[in-house]
Amino acid sequence: MAEKFDLNDREVWDGNYAASQALRQAQIDVVAAYPITPSTPIVENYGAYVANGYVDGEYVMVESEHAAMSGCVGASAAGGRVATATSSQGFALMVEVLYQASGMRLPIVLNVVNRALASPLNVRGDHGDMYLGRDSGWIQIDAFNAQEAYDLVLCAFKIGEDHSVRLPVMVHQDGFITSHTAQNIYPLTDEAAYNFIGDFQPVDDLLDFSRPVTYGAQTEEDWHFEHKAKQHKALMDSRPVIDEVFAEFEKLSGRKYNRVETYMMEDADVVIVGLGSTVETAIVAAEELREEGVKAGVVGIRVFRPFPFDQVREALKGAKAIAVLDRSSPGGAMGAFFNEVSAALYSTDTRPLVTNYIYGLGGRDFSIDEAKRIFKEQQANADAGHITTDIQQFSGLRGPHLGYFQTQRG
Amino acid sequence: MQDLHLCAAEKRGIHQLGGDERVGWDEVTQGIILTSFEGDASEIVHQKAEQRHYSDFNSYTASVASWRVEKPVFNIDVCIDCQNCWVWCPDTSIISRDKQMLGIDYDHCKGCGVCVEVCPTNPKSLLMFNEQSGLDEALAAWPEKKKKEEK
């Protein structure tokens, strides 16, 4: 049995330390890790827990992130509880194997500390890597702060390992902003956390010699389509399971999570829709604008995959003007997040005005002032009844204004 | 002669994934994780291939004979049971029992010719023949022992 780790009721942890503590409490069988900034401390701390006897499992050092995820796939198929962490380029190197993991329905937990993708090389946070994983068949959960990074890693094991789900889960947090900023964290006791997650119950594990199975079979046109349909259904059907796990976690900790988080949305006219720590910045801006009489609201997407299409539509149906914030290079299109939120709104009767802001790339600060300016632009749109600016704008960019596409009415 | 019944499992080659009637997306196994054997397989390692209860999902039940252009033919009269071909066959298509060569599994042999290449006898006890040629025809055409060339 592992050594006891003494925890206080309240700890001062950054996002990385919080995530590594959640991994320790999950008592993982195998962590295969290759360090990459800014997620390095997660596996570094975890390595220290292993070395000091706080964890019974194996810690596998590999020669690349591709090998790290491959090791995770092998260990998970063998019947172990498995997790690792990555960011940016390392995530990109893992992508090939991410599809293997989800296709084989292996409940691996991956901590993604979001960071910009090169080039130019950059270690700071944006959501380029999060978007890179969006079609990989993983459940993607987004933590807006360090406490949530801790809570949601615990939830991730319970969601992914549920026998009706059996899918790998990514838990995202913002590079440096969340991962390296220390905050007050209220951890669960080791017993409470482990009992919440429960013992790992593998299905079709390779080490069951009485029932040998083949993983990663070739299918071609005969079966690939059917298999992908089943995998998609598993992702879609994970939605009620996620809700149940969040409800159970609320009973345990008092902290309530939703697939779509809404703030001051009861009567909001103008709304910012965002991901990650930006949501918290936008909340502060909205609160300040409320005092000036602006009916501002914020919607944060907690579960990015499966995309909460119906909940986004429901949350935003009363709004007049909406800014969807993409912290990722749009790559010759409207922001991917904008497209998804817009698609959810297109089939509503009210069909609010939606604009796309590209912001904060490569760790460029997203300030309360900038959020306020975006709210005010949305107020102008709402007052005019049509979009008064470019539909896509780069916010916080040095140099002349960069934006694309105006409405015909504008 | 060759003990060909060893490689003629009844269901072999008929059943592909899921059998004759193709199943729908809701019936495919989760994660395309395929079971190799029917029932408990704890003792499978001690059983010979023909005794095992292969599942429809085991590649053993699928035939790849149609990939072949040329086939190896085995001549038991020349064979010295050295097991070289059994060791080298990339598809475990050489059938050997108790270190005795018995024949070739023509459901899984893809006709690569490696067995012929590694056969050390003179003449070779395995030779490649056209896929359509019969066993008797091939054995009748077997070459004589060749003398080593003088150096």
Side-chain angles (χ1 to χ4, degrees):
Chain A
M1 190 60 201
E3 295 278 318
K4 186 172 162 48
F5 195 104
D6 287 324
L7 287 178
N8 297 317
D9 293 342
R10 185 174 64 176
E11 295 276 352
V12 180
W13 291 346
D14 61 25
N16 276 335
Y17 201 84
S20 62
Q21 281 285 358
L23 295 184
R24 180 188 63 77
Q25 292 185 326
Q27 290 290 322
I28 300 163
D29 296 308
V30 176
V31 167
Y34 194 84
I36 185 161
T37 306
S39 74
T40 304
I42 294 181
V43 291
E44 199 174 61
N45 297 333
Y46 189 82
Y49 303 145
V50 175
N52 295 329
Y54 296 117
V55 181
D56 286 333
E58 293 289 325
Y59 185 74
V60 187
M61 285 176 278
V62 289
E63 79 282 8
S64 75
E65 285 89 345
H66 191 279
M69 187 44 65
S70 299
C72 287
V73 165
S76 184
R81 174 174 284 162
V82 177
T84 188
T86 195
S87 297
S88 184
Q89 302 305 115
F91 183 90
L93 191 54
M94 277 185 182
V95 164
E96 182 194 340
V97 196
L98 297 182
Y99 283 77
Q100 307 277 1
S102 60
M104 294 186 208
R105 307 286 296 275
L106 302 172
I108 298 163
V109 170
L110 175 61
N111 290 271
V112 184
V113 181
N114 291 117
R115 164 188 152 187
L117 287 163
S119 81
L121 190 64
N122 181 309
V123 298
R124 303 267 162 189
D126 73 25
H127 295 154
D129 48 6
M130 187 194 300
Y131 290 15
L132 186 60
R134 72 182 196 272
D135 293 345
S136 64
W138 285 55
I139 294 171
Q140 290 180 282
I141 304 176
D142 194 19
F144 307 158
N145 59 44
Q147 176 75 59
E148 295 178 0
Y150 169 83
D151 293 348
L152 293 171
V153 169
L154 295 178
C155 291
F157 284 103
K158 197 168 174 66
I159 293 165
E161 291 172 7
D162 188 290
H163 279 192
S164 70
V165 177
R166 281 178 68 198
L167 283 167
V169 185
M170 285 175 211
V171 180
H172 296 273
Q173 55 175 300
D174 277 353
F176 291 104
I177 301 168
T178 303
S179 70
H180 283 62
T181 306
Q183 295 183 329
N184 283 332
I185 307 277
Y186 299 88
L188 302 178
T189 64
D190 286 5
E191 293 76 20
Y194 190 81
N195 290 338
F196 169 68
I197 303 173
D199 290 337
F200 184 50
Q201 306 283 352
V203 181
D204 294 332
D205 52 314
L206 281 174
L207 290 184
D208 179 1
F209 294 128
S210 65
R211 191 171 169 276
V213 290
T214 301
Y215 269 81
Q218 190 172 351
T219 61
E220 301 307 332
E221 75 276 24
D222 264 356
W223 297 110
H224 189 86
F225 195 12
E226 282 70 25
H227 175 59
K228 283 295 167 188
K230 185 156 187 163
Q231 197 184 327
H232 180 69
K233 184 170 190 293
L235 265 165
M236 286 306 202
D237 288 354
S238 69
R239 290 174 295 170
V241 178
I242 295 170
D243 290 341
E244 283 163 27
V245 171
F246 283 167
E248 204 175 318
F249 190 79
E250 186 193 7
K251 272 188 212 154
L252 184 65
S253 69
R255 294 187 285 273
K256 172 83 181 119
Y257 292 104
N258 302 290
R259 284 185 287 125
V260 172
E261 305 286 4
T262 56
Y263 308 91
M264 295 165 282
M265 284 303 294
E266 296 74 25
D267 60 340
D269 287 336
V270 291
V271 183
I272 281 180
V273 184
L275 289 161
S277 56
T278 300
V279 173
E280 302 213 319
T281 308
I283 292 168
V284 178
E287 281 168 349
E288 289 182 12
L289 284 177
R290 284 265 167 182
E291 288 169 18
E292 297 173 28
V294 178
K295 288 184 177 175
V298 179
V299 170
I301 309 294
R302 171 77 64 206
V303 178
F304 187 54
R305 285 289 182 277
F307 191 73
F309 189 89
D310 48 350
Q311 293 193 345
V312 168
R313 194 169 47 179
E314 185 63 26
L316 292 171
K317 66 177 181 188
K320 289 177 179 161
I322 295 164
V324 182
L325 273 52
D326 271 79
R327 197 166 200 162
S328 172
S329 172
M334 303 303 281
F337 190 40
F338 167 87
N339 285 339
E340 298 192 350
V341 174
S342 300
L345 293 168
Y346 191 80
S347 52
T348 57
D349 296 334
T350 48
R351 207 182 289 171
L353 305 168
V354 193
T355 44
N356 183 205
Y357 289 83
I358 308 298
Y359 77 105
L361 302 191
R364 175 66 49 87
D365 191 26
F366 181 71
S367 62
I368 295 166
D369 272 355
E370 191 175 347
K372 280 165 123 175
R373 189 181 59 73
I374 290 171
F375 272 126
K376 281 174 182 166
E377 276 188 10
Q378 296 315 308
Q379 187 63 57
N381 289 350
D383 293 342
H386 60 82
I387 295 172
T388 58
T389 58
D390 291 333
I391 298 175
Q392 180 180 58
Q393 295 185 65
F394 278 62
S395 180
L397 178 71
R398 279 196 304 276
H401 170 80
L402 184 62
Y404 294 97
F405 311 117
Q406 292 195 326
T407 54
Q408 295 298 313
R409 290 171 295 182
Chain B
M1 262 302 164
Q2 305 187 32
D3 192 356
L4 292 175
H5 79 273
L6 280 178
C7 31
E10 202 179 315
K11 284 165 39 172
R12 179 98 56 85
I14 300 165
H15 291 246
Q16 297 290 333
L17 294 178
D20 295 336
E21 290 193 11
R22 302 285 176 102
V23 299
W25 66 269
D26 52 329
E27 293 171 276
V28 295
T29 59
Q30 193 159 276
I32 303 287
I33 295 162
L34 307 177
T35 52
S36 308
F37 304 100
E38 304 289 351
D40 183 49
S42 321
E43 298 300 313
I44 213 89
V45 71
H46 304 297
Q47 293 173 345
K48 295 194 165 68
E50 58 274 18
Q51 297 164 331
R52 293 174 179 170
H53 297 287
Y54 290 102
S55 78
D56 289 345
F57 305 110
N58 195 307
S59 55
Y60 192 80
T61 56
S63 171
V64 289
S66 62
W67 297 17
R68 213 164 46 226
V69 181
E70 282 188 310
K71 65 181 176 187
V73 176
F74 170 59
N75 188 337
I76 202 165
D77 297 331
V78 197
C79 179
I80 57 168
D81 291 322
C82 73
Q83 311 285 306
N84 244 12
C85 54
W86 182 84
V87 168
W88 281 90
C89 175
D91 291 300
T92 50
S93 294
I94 305 288
I95 303 169
S96 171
R97 289 287 174 272
D98 304 320
K99 296 184 182 173
Q100 295 240 315
M101 301 307 303
L102 293 178
I104 291 151
D105 174 354
Y106 283 121
D107 281 339
H108 298 109
C109 169
K110 300 177 184 73
C112 69
V114 165
C115 54
V116 173
E117 201 64 36
V118 298
C119 180
T121 60
N122 183 3
K124 284 183 183 293
S125 33
L126 283 153
L127 284 172
M128 300 304 285
F129 285 89
N130 187 295
E131 177 64 27
Q132 277 75 35
S133 58
L135 181 61
D136 295 338
E137 186 190 335
L139 290 174
W142 214 265
E144 293 293 315
K145 180 171 180 174
K146 267 192 223 165
K147 289 211 163 153
K148 280 188 180 171
E149 283 175 29
E150 298 288 330
K151 286 187 179 172

